[in-house]
Structures are given as C-alpha cells and as structure tokens.
Amino acid sequence: MVGHAVTDGLVIGSAAATGQQELSHVVAFAMIAHKVPASFSLSTLLFSIKWPTAAVLKSMLVFSLSSPLAAVGFYAIKFLVSESDFEKMISWVSSLAPAPTNSKFAN
C-alpha cells in the first residue's frame, strides 16, 4: 500500500510540475478522494488481524506521509535536473496515472 501511495505522490508532483493548475487540482483531488477509503480499509485490516494500536498508528502515519513526501520530492527534482531529463521523468510518471487523466489533459 505504501508503494501505491508513493506512486500517487509521484503523479501529484508530476502534475504540479507541469504548471497546469487545472490538471494539478484534478489529480490531487482524485488521489485524495481515493486515499480516504484506502486509509479506512488499511486501518480496519490491521486492527482485524490484531496488530497493536501503536503499530497501526505508525503504519498509518507512514502510509499517510508517503504521498505528500513523494509529491514534494518529485516536484523538487524539477529544480535539480535538466528540463529535458525532467520532461522524460514526467512522461514516465504520467504513464502511472489512469488513461482518462492522461488523455483529457494531453497537449
């Protein structure tokens, strides 16, 4: 689940780095909207298999922080690499997003 959340963060960071505000808002909203049921499901599953409360809270903290940290990290990379390399990275990350998101905002 954390790997999936990191991927969500990469997509959000990629969308923000394009400078297209509408795209950024749509992608961020979609990612946040599906994070709520995922968080509920994960915490319910962990409690149902009798994980200690402290372990569940720690796991939920890691899960919750993984997307925003990945988004900020990917966005920061924009300023550390060449523009052409960053465009290649955005192309790769955009392939992780659902097809309707890609086609709606394609240039």
Side-chain angles (χ1 to χ4, degrees):
M1 292 282 295
V2 172
H4 178 84
V6 168
T7 303
D8 289 348
L10 292 176
V11 171
I12 292 169
S14 175
T18 65
Q20 296 179 20
Q21 218 171 20
E22 183 182 346
L23 172 63
S24 298
H25 291 140
V26 169
V27 170
F29 177 77
M31 296 297 174
I32 291 168
H34 94 269
K35 197 115 166 118
V36 172
S39 298
F40 179 74
S41 298
L42 179 59
S43 62
T44 302
L45 172 70
L46 296 177
F47 278 123
S48 74
I49 60 173
K50 308 290 188 225
W51 271 34
T53 301
V56 172
L57 292 175
K58 187 188 299 184
S59 297
M60 293 309 298
L61 179 66
V62 169
F63 178 69
S64 298
L65 291 177
S66 58
S67 286
L69 291 176
V72 170
F74 189 79
Y75 184 77
I77 290 172
K78 176 181 183 178
F79 304 103
L80 300 174
V81 299
S82 70
E83 188 173 337
S84 63
D85 286 344
F86 193 71
E87 289 296 325
K88 290 176 190 173
M89 290 176 172
I90 286 179
S91 295
W92 177 79
V93 170
S94 68
S95 70
L96 302 173
T101 302
N102 286 339
S103 62
K104 180 178 179 184
F105 295 100
N107 291 334

